[in-house]
Amino acid sequence: MAKRILGALRDLSPIFAVVIFFQVVVLQQPFPDIANVVVGLVCVVLGLALFVQGLESGLFPLGEALAQGMARKGSATALLALGFCLGFGTTVAEPALIAVAAEGAQVAADAQFIGDSQAAQDRYALEVRLVVAVAVGIAIVLGVLRILKGWPIHLFIISGYVLVMAMTLFAPDEIVGVAYDSGGVTTSTITVPLITALGVGLASTIRGRNPMLDGFGLIAFASLTPMIGVLGYGMVV
Amino acid sequence: MLDFLADVGETVLSTLRDVTPIVVILVVFQVAVLRRRLPNIRGIATGSVMVLLGLALFLIGLEQALFPIGETMAQQLTEKAGAGAGALAGAVRWQDYWVVYLFAAAIGFATTVAEPSLIAVALKAKEVSGGAVNAWGLRIAVAVGVAIGVSLGCFRIVTGTPLPWYIVVAYVVVIIQTFLSSRTIIPLAYDSGGVTTSTVTVPVVAALGLGLAANVPGRSPLIDGFGLIAFASVFPIISVLGYAIVADGLERWRRRSERQEVEP
């Protein structure tokens, strides 16, 4: 544990350095409420150390055991269903996504793109969230299918990029910012280790797959499809 | 103290709420589809509790210590730069905001190095590649990408240039780099775009974007505040692929010069 705490201190030292430098040298102001800050920093260091320890003894083995079990069972349908549920279930309630969708609804209302009422905004925000969650579900399904088949990843990502660029031309301006940002906010701190472990676990269990070549890439899919989904939603509505 | 404990309780609860759907899905598939018990269930349970507690503590600490500072600093820096710029003339000069670009790069780098999901992916990459991928080197490469991305994103907010231009150019760069890179690094590089923007980076970067858009004359926080997260998700792909291409090139060059020494 002592090693973990040292590691966490090292990981966090750049943040401390940046904050101290700008506060003292550039803004030339003392720290507000120093006691709170120190308590907070101790929490951050301990929390990160615990998280990394738990990752290696809990989340990684859990994801891998599940991936290996599913791969041995040999049912592709069950595996794809698991992928969709994981993608959809972890995204629909993601706090960062809720925040971005609400801001996006505000933009759309200001631009007269949707009605100005609260109900119209809420409906729009909810629909954006559902679109993103379904898109992430589809992303994991596609990503798992790619691992099963051993298809090269860059074909998918490059066609995805081309699609995003083409759709940007046709989608209304109000939605482009939200769409681009929705790709980044979907992958949370618990989801990423689990999905990574799932991908790597699958690729190392299935014969002929290389975990380095085939195991990674699920996260990349999950950050690309929401953009396509939201842009498409903007074009349809 | 009581406030603090209430905070702890609330954060643990909200983390639990985030985790519950995941746990339900995993248990349903483990029990209903696999019909088997997990191996080493006690280790996994303890580890999961540690992840939960660790993440909650981490978030509480961030809210106590870093987020208020980060948000106030973003606000103060953009106000400071904005006041100097607005006083001179009506027009916005992008050069006046250099402190903001510097701060954006520094905070983008620092928050990415501390991002727990990036730590997770880097650990996995090191394990899977048998040590060929250096976890620390990967994280630095990603952090450099985020630093450049967030800084450029702030430049875009100040100048008010359209977001799609930047993203389209960045995509074209990624596509070209993909054809130059070795096959093994590509999936990992693509993934590193998505993992950078989580718990630590998003709140600080979003505050920076909103503060900047509110303080630059002629920008609206609602319309121009978006896009920083998109920048922070594309540029790490470019920096990781770039790092891999350069490392590959150096390795090849070193081998060639060694061969020449052996057989003159």
Side-chain angles (χ1 to χ4, degrees):
Chain A
M1 202 58 205
K3 215 180 97 199
R4 297 276 180 220
I5 291 179
L6 276 181
L9 268 176
R10 188 195 57 182
D11 294 338
L12 292 164
S13 57
I15 294 199
F16 302 156
V18 168
V19 168
I20 293 173
F21 174 80
F22 276 87
Q23 191 78 11
V24 175
V25 179
V26 179
L27 292 171
Q28 302 178 336
Q29 274 162 1
F31 277 95
D33 212 356
I34 195 93
N36 248 346
V37 172
V38 171
V39 173
L41 293 183
V42 173
C43 288
V44 171
V45 170
L46 280 181
L48 192 60
L50 263 178
F51 177 82
V52 174
Q53 175 73 42
L55 210 60
E56 295 202 338
S57 58
L59 277 194
F60 279 162
L62 180 63
E64 262 160 44
L66 197 62
Q68 281 162 8
M70 296 295 281
R72 286 218 193 83
K73 195 166 187 308
S75 159
T77 326
L79 197 53
L80 296 179
L82 170 69
F84 185 84
C85 290
L86 264 185
F88 183 89
T90 56
T91 307
V92 79
E94 170 71 33
L97 175 63
I98 294 175
V100 165
E103 272 170 45
Q106 184 74 48
V107 174
D110 282 8
Q112 314 276 308
F113 184 62
I114 54 171
D116 214 4
S117 69
Q118 191 60 42
Q121 281 190 33
D122 286 350
R123 204 175 66 106
Y124 180 85
L126 181 68
E127 282 173 3
V128 167
R129 269 171 61 195
L130 286 178
V131 166
V132 171
V134 170
V136 175
I138 294 175
I140 308 294
V141 168
L142 262 182
V144 168
L145 205 58
R146 180 192 81 86
I147 296 175
L148 295 180
K149 301 280 184 191
W151 292 326
I153 186 170
H154 62 269
L155 297 181
F156 287 88
I157 300 293
I158 291 176
S159 7
Y161 281 174
V162 172
L163 199 57
V164 168
M165 291 190 247
M167 289 174 88
T168 302
L169 293 177
F170 299 106
D173 288 345
E174 293 78 31
I175 206 153
V176 170
V178 190
Y180 285 180
D181 275 3
S182 68
V185 294
T186 50
T187 41
S188 80
T189 309
I190 305 265
T191 325
V192 166
L194 252 177
I195 289 190
T196 306
L198 184 77
V200 169
L202 270 182
S204 43
T205 313
I206 299 171
R207 204 179 310 156
R209 296 287 169 272
N210 173 337
M212 196 67 202
L213 262 181
D214 304 301
F216 291 97
L218 288 178
I219 311 281
F221 277 65
S223 10
L224 187 57
T225 53
M227 290 196 251
I228 299 174
V230 177
L231 285 172
Y233 172 75
M235 286 159 71
V236 170
V237 170
Chain B
M1 194 60 207
L2 215 61
D3 275 1
F4 179 72
L5 282 180
D7 266 5
V8 173
E10 206 172 294
T11 313
V12 170
L13 270 182
S14 80
T15 316
L16 251 177
R17 206 171 45 222
D18 294 347
V19 176
T20 312
I22 308 179
V23 173
V24 170
I25 293 167
L26 295 180
V27 170
V28 164
F29 273 87
Q30 191 73 36
V31 175
V33 181
L34 290 179
R35 293 167 205 276
R36 222 182 351 184
R37 293 187 54 180
L38 279 168
N40 187 17
I41 193 145
R42 282 180 66 183
I44 289 181
T46 342
S48 305
V49 171
M50 282 170 94
V51 164
L52 200 69
L53 274 182
L55 194 59
L57 258 183
F58 185 70
L59 290 176
I60 291 161
L62 285 181
E63 266 158 35
Q64 289 269 320
L66 281 173
F67 289 163
I69 300 182
E71 280 161 21
T72 334
M73 279 170 68
Q75 190 106 45
Q76 286 171 342
L77 280 173
T78 49
E79 269 168 18
K80 209 175 163 187
L88 281 173
V92 177
R93 291 197 318 157
W94 63 267
Q95 300 93 324
D96 295 328
Y97 290 85
W98 64 271
V99 183
V100 176
Y101 309 141
L102 191 68
F103 177 69
I107 204 78
F109 181 90
T111 51
T112 306
V113 169
E115 195 66 80
S117 44
L118 178 60
I119 298 178
V121 169
L123 280 176
K124 204 80 217 168
K126 186 180 167 202
E127 178 199 316
V128 167
S129 68
V133 172
N134 178 331
W136 190 239
L138 176 68
R139 284 165 58 194
I140 300 283
V142 173
V144 167
V146 175
I148 297 172
V150 177
S151 192
L152 200 63
C154 287
F155 171 79
R156 184 197 78 83
I157 293 178
V158 170
T159 55
T161 28
L163 172 64
W165 295 2
Y166 293 85
I167 300 297
V168 166
V169 170
Y171 280 176
V172 171
V173 172
V174 171
I175 293 174
I176 296 171
Q177 281 181 315
T178 299
F179 289 108
L180 299 174
S181 314
S182 85
R183 240 158 39 97
T184 43
I185 195 76
I186 290 172
L188 186 60
Y190 287 161
D191 267 4
S192 59
V195 297
T196 49
T197 43
S198 317
T199 334
V200 199
T201 318
V202 170
V204 176
V205 163
L208 184 65
L210 288 177
L212 193 58
N215 282 301
V216 177
R219 301 285 165 272
S220 131
L222 274 178
I223 295 171
D224 300 296
F226 281 104
L228 281 185
I229 296 174
F231 274 86
S233 340
V234 182
F235 280 80
I237 307 184
I238 297 183
S239 63
V240 171
L241 285 177
Y243 169 75
I245 292 171
V246 170
D248 266 7
L250 282 179
E251 175 71 17
R252 223 172 295 150
W253 180 73
R254 199 176 54 83
R255 275 208 206 124
R256 204 164 47 214
S257 55
E258 264 172 18
R259 246 200 327 266
Q260 276 165 354
E261 273 165 29
V262 175
E263 33 187 316

